[in-house]
């Protein structure tokens, strides 16, 4: 496990305006440095509050539990919803009561008890081969139809993005029907689940499959990578279930830690991250969808067109998380 620590300071601030011992906070982040550092620098410029950031790919929950009351962490930034669930389930969070957060973040994208707040959204899209299928009016349910046998690619079913999708299927259809669907999808796979979301796009271009599951921002990242642009251009991005409930979305988010030593400053940062400046930065840098309603996506993301999202409250995914994992095991999805 590799930990990287970075202090975000404003170099041109005079000594007279430098942060006092109280004007600081510590963030543990699953989100990458390129995304959060510019936003945190802007926060320091605006408030005078310095931010120490510890970046990690995994293990933050374990570290918080080990540190206990002595933890310096005030806030955790997560890259997906499952990390939020883990932190809450392990009693490592503290509820926040903020009218500004409640105003900026729609009810659908925050915990009813204030234990977590979403920051960005991604759509679980379906990519189709441009030269073989073109644009399609697909649903997640249609992935189990026999006509798609041997035509579908996806990463591991146990990846948090796919677990969340299965949880949403349980929420909408019940466990028994979701299991039948999941078995049908497995039967239609062109290969054993593997790789990441970018790899699924590449598999469509290479002719391994005709349809692939993938988060929207991976498509945007691939389009902006000069070495991968032709891969992205070989597929069409489709928003599923537009004629009924809407496309499934998953989220990144933030929590106030249980033993936050700088609680007031942490809440200020949470409010800042939910407001226009930070929401716009998230949208532009990583091609995600802001959760704040009046902040538009980046021009590239907007070019994919408007879509209807599933209105299932995100916290419902947590209720069905364990059931989703159980179904994936029962159908041996990854084997």
């Amino acid at each position: 496990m590799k930990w990287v620590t970075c202090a975000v300071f404003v170099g041109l601030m005079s000594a007279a305006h430098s942060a006092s011992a109280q004007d600081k906070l510590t963030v543990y982040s699953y989100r990458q440095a390129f995304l959060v550092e510019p936003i945190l620098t802007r926060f320091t410029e605006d408030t005078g509050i310095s931010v120490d950031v510890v970046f990690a790919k995994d293990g933050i929950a374990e570290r918080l539990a080990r540190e206990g009351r002595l933890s310096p962490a005030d806030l955790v930034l997560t890259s997906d919803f499952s990390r939020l669930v883990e932190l809450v389930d392990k009693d490592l969070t503290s509820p926040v009561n903020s009218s500004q957060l409640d105003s900026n973040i729609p009810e659908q994208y925050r915990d009813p008890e204030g234990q977590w707040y979403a920051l960005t959204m991604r759509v679980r899209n379906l990519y189709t081969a441009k030269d073989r299928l073109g644009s399609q009016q697909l649903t997640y349910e249609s992935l189990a139809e026999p006509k798609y046998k041997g035509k579908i690619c996806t990463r591991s079913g146990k990846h948090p993005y796919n677990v969340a999708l299965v949880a949403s299927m349980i929420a909408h259809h019940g466990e028994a029907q979701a299991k039948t669907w999941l078995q049908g999808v497995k039967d239609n796979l062109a290969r054993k689940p593997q790789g990441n979301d970018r790899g699924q796009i590449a598999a469509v271009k290479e002719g391994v499959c005709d349809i692939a599951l993938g988060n929207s921002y991976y498509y945007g990242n691939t389009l902006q990578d000069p070495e991968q642009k032709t891969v992205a251009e070989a597929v069409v991005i489709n928003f599923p279930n537009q004629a009924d409930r809407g496309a499934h979305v998953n989220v990144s988010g933030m929590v106030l830690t249980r033993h936050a030593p700088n609680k007031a400053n942490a809440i200020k940062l949470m409010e800042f991250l939910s407001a226009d400046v930070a929401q716009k930065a998230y949208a532009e840098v990583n091609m995600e969808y802001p959760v704040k309603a009046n902040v538009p996506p980046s021009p590239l993301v907007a070019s994919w067109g408007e879509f209807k999202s599933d209105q299932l409250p995100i916290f419902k995914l947590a209720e069905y998380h364990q059931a989703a994992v159980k179904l994936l095991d029962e159908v041996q999805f990854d084997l």
Side-chain angles (χ1 to χ4, degrees), residues 189-249:
L189 294 178
R191 63 180 184 182
K192 180 180 176 179
Q194 59 190 265
N196 56 24
D197 280 9
R198 282 198 188 205
Q200 311 317 310
I201 298 173
V204 173
K205 181 183 186 299
E206 293 163 2
V208 175
C209 48
D210 289 339
I211 303 171
L213 272 166
N215 274 6
S216 52
Y217 71 97
Y218 284 104
Y219 177 66
N221 288 334
T222 305
L223 277 173
Q224 291 198 326
D225 183 342
E227 296 183 359
Q228 294 292 313
K229 185 177 180 181
T230 57
V231 174
E233 290 174 341
V235 306
V236 176
I237 185 170
N238 302 276
F239 296 98
N241 293 80
Q242 293 304 285
D244 46 69
R245 69 178 180 275
H248 167 69
V249 298

Side-chain angles (χ1 to χ4, degrees), residues 7-259:
V8 179
F9 296 109
V10 183
L12 298 181
M13 291 178 63
S14 67
H17 292 88
S18 62
S20 70
Q22 287 74 40
D23 291 334
K24 64 180 182 181
L25 59 89
T26 299
V27 172
Y28 287 0
S29 177
Y30 284 115
R31 305 238 65 183
Q32 297 180 62
F34 81 90
L35 180 59
V36 301
E37 283 181 345
I39 299 173
L40 297 179
T41 297
R42 176 65 181 269
F43 172 74
T44 300
E45 290 173 345
D46 288 356
T47 65
I49 299 171
S50 65
V51 185
D52 290 335
V53 190
V54 177
F55 295 98
K57 290 185 177 180
D58 53 40
I60 288 179
E62 291 78 8
R63 177 166 176 166
L64 285 172
R66 185 172 64 251
E67 292 171 339
R69 293 181 179 276
L70 298 179
S71 177
D74 299 294
L75 196 68
V76 178
L77 301 178
T78 75
S79 53
D80 58 71
F81 180 67
S82 69
R83 302 287 195 182
L84 297 173
V85 174
E86 178 186 31
L87 291 164
V88 174
D89 287 349
K90 293 184 176 180
D91 198 23
L92 298 170
T93 65
S94 183
V96 176
N97 182 10
S98 164
S99 59
Q100 186 173 337
L101 284 172
D102 291 347
S103 174
N104 287 341
I105 301 178
E107 187 175 6
Q108 179 187 0
Y109 302 119
R110 48 186 162 89
D111 178 64
E113 306 300 324
Q115 297 286 355
W116 56 262
Y117 289 82
L119 283 174
T120 61
M121 297 184 295
R122 317 68 180 264
V123 184
R124 199 71 181 141
N125 290 108
L126 294 174
Y127 303 108
T128 51
K130 184 179 293 185
D131 60 349
R132 300 189 296 279
L133 288 182
S135 180
Q136 296 282 315
Q137 297 297 316
L138 295 168
T139 65
Y140 301 110
E141 290 80 359
S142 68
L143 298 179
E145 294 177 2
K147 66 180 178 180
Y148 294 125
K149 189 172 183 63
K151 296 184 180 297
I152 297 170
C153 287
T154 183
R155 72 194 307 166
S156 168
K158 290 293 188 67
H159 190 277
Y161 300 148
N162 281 338
V163 173
L165 175 59
V166 176
S168 76
M169 295 295 287
I170 296 172
H172 286 296
H173 299 297
E175 205 167 317
Q177 193 171 337
K179 181 177 180 179
T180 300
W181 168 78
L182 194 58
Q183 183 64 60
V185 175
K186 180 187 177 182
D187 292 343
N188 286 343
L189 294 178
R191 63 180 184 182
K192 180 180 176 179
Q194 59 190 265
N196 56 24
D197 280 9
R198 282 198 188 205
Q200 311 317 310
I201 298 173
V204 173
K205 181 183 186 299
E206 293 163 2
V208 175
C209 48
D210 289 339
I211 303 171
L213 272 166
N215 274 6
S216 52
Y217 71 97
Y218 284 104
Y219 177 66
N221 288 334
T222 305
L223 277 173
Q224 291 198 326
D225 183 342
E227 296 183 359
Q228 294 292 313
K229 185 177 180 181
T230 57
V231 174
E233 290 174 341
V235 306
V236 176
I237 185 170
N238 302 276
F239 296 98
N241 293 80
Q242 293 304 285
D244 46 69
R245 69 178 180 275
H248 167 69
V249 298
N250 50 60
V251 298
S252 70
M254 57 184 173
V255 303
L256 179 70
T257 64
R258 183 179 181 185
H259 303 296

